[in-house]
Amino acid sequence: MSEAKKPNVSSESEKELVKVAKQFEDFDQNVKNLTLDRMNLAPKADIEPQTKIAQSDLQKMKDVYLKPEKAISCRDKFNEEYREAYNFAKEYVHFIAENKEIIGETIKLWTRPFAGMPAEYWSIPCNKPIWGPRYLAEQIKRKFYHRLVMDENKTVGSDGRATYYGSMAVDTTIPRLDAHPVINQKSIFMGAKNF
């Protein structure tokens, strides 16, 4: 196969092609510069909680304690240096899980917060107060994605005679799942035990 030949175009069209090629290269470089560290610094979108329950209704509700539906054992040995962190992470906390993508749908996920622990499969009901391990609530809280948006108002360059505007990738962080603590005369994500 032969390589595609460059089309014969007028000098004005040639200038436009060069200009478009430069804008595409600038955009491509900007996308390549979007590292995970830079994306994690992106502003988080403000989203209202789906569930608002009055304090009096909270006290009337039955306590629901979660247990994993499945557990797959692990051959790794638990590192005893992490025992204190493990004991803190496994404490049960009172929280409300929310599915931001499919509102109200049950969240199903696997956890394995420490090496040497079994992998656990959880089915978490949404939009109602539940008790579950702290590591489960924290894993739900970490579920987010980055949205890339084209911003037409950013200045790409200037050559003295004119200023050029073009597309630039800008990112925001959108929560996919979320977990909010239930405040019932206790601090945020405090366990069932008192201090």
Side-chain angles (χ1 to χ4, degrees), residues 108-153:
K108 297 179 184 274
L109 58 85
W110 286 89
T111 60
R112 187 169 175 234
F114 296 93
M117 284 185 64
E120 299 170 328
Y121 181 74
W122 299 86
S123 196
I124 303 112
C126 289
N127 302 331
K128 63 182 184 179
I130 52 176
W131 287 88
R134 182 177 277 113
Y135 63 82
L136 178 64
E138 289 174 349
Q139 182 166 328
I140 292 170
K141 191 85 171 150
R142 287 191 304 264
K143 299 298 179 189
F144 59 86
Y145 62 91
H146 300 288
R147 182 176 292 165
L148 301 177
V149 182
M150 303 303 292
D151 188 2
E152 298 293 330
N153 297 326

Side-chain angles (χ1 to χ4, degrees), residues 49 99 133 159 187-188 194:
N99 190 335
D159 64 1
S187 291
I188 295 178
N194 290 332

